[in-house]
Amino acid sequence: YLLLLDGSIATDGILHFERLVTADGETADLKHIGQTSGTLCELIALYASARSSAPAISIGAVQNNELEIGIREFMKISGVDVGALKIRCQIHSYLPGVDKNAQEIISYTDRGVKTEMSVSMNSSALRDCRYVMVAGAKKPLSRGGTESLIRGFESLVAMGRKPMAFSVGT
């Protein structure tokens, strides 16, 4: 399952999240969040919860609390019911990335299913994805589809954005 979160550094030096880029389209200004975007919002909430247990560790844009501030802003806008999510999903471990190219890994159980989520600010993590979520359903991802997602990720980087890739597997 592959989902992208696009953030940008605004004039105040803080990482602001403006839009979601998912397999079934973009959500600008975080309005009209659909089923796939809603799934991503929950993954980000789990990610934020896992990171809070190890706040001193940082990768990529995390320095100077940019990412933490941006995620708090994102969570406020997305309106995820964090309380309900904590009841449904039990986080078991969080492995932070040791440098800006490393993936962060969160292990958790969702409705009794053991799941592992990887979060990366590097497009190389996308090469391992075999499925995407489209309108809330799991769809196979072709090699061309993978390359298209990587090109999309790299185009955001080229524009000065700081995209993040969220992928999950069981």
Side-chain angles (χ1 to χ4, degrees):
Y1 302 70
L2 180 130
L3 300 154
L4 300 178
L5 177 67
D6 173 23
S8 65
I9 302 279
T11 54
D12 56 6
I14 301 301
L15 186 65
H16 294 279
F17 292 113
E18 304 177 330
R19 61 188 176 133
L20 305 182
V21 184
T22 69
D24 53 351
E26 297 183 16
T27 302
D29 301 320
L30 306 183
K31 294 177 181 174
H32 311 296
I33 293 177
Q35 190 171 6
T36 299
S37 297
T39 301
L40 177 54
C41 290
E42 288 194 343
L43 292 180
I44 295 164
L46 287 171
Y47 174 58
S49 180
R51 285 185 57 83
S52 68
S53 65
I57 305 298
S58 63
I59 67 164
V62 177
Q63 281 85 20
N64 302 321
N65 293 323
E66 293 166 353
L67 184 57
E68 284 81 359
I69 293 169
I71 287 179
R72 281 198 301 270
E73 174 189 281
F74 177 90
M75 294 305 302
K76 184 176 179 181
I77 296 170
S78 69
V80 172
D81 186 341
V82 177
L85 189 62
K86 285 183 179 178
I87 292 170
R88 194 185 88 211
C89 297
Q90 178 70 45
I91 296 173
H92 302 293
S93 66
Y94 168 62
L95 180 64
V98 294
D99 62 52
K100 67 179 181 178
N101 293 320
Q103 294 183 56
E104 295 179 86
I105 300 172
I106 299 100
S107 296
Y108 63 97
T109 303
D110 183 358
R111 298 182 184 95
V113 177
K114 291 184 178 178
T115 304
E116 186 174 271
M117 172 170 50
S118 297
V119 181
S120 177
M121 298 179 86
N122 185 308
S123 67
S124 63
L126 308 185
R127 297 200 183 279
D128 297 330
C129 291
R130 299 292 175 258
Y131 300 91
V132 291
M133 290 288 287
V134 180
K138 180 178 165 183
K139 304 286 184 182
L141 184 62
S142 67
R143 180 178 296 175
T146 301
E147 293 302 321
S148 176
L149 288 168
I150 291 170
R151 283 193 303 274
F153 189 101
E154 293 300 335
S155 71
L156 290 172
V157 172
M159 291 187 301
R161 304 289 189 179
K162 295 190 180 291
M164 300 171 71
F166 286 73
S167 57
V168 298
T170 54

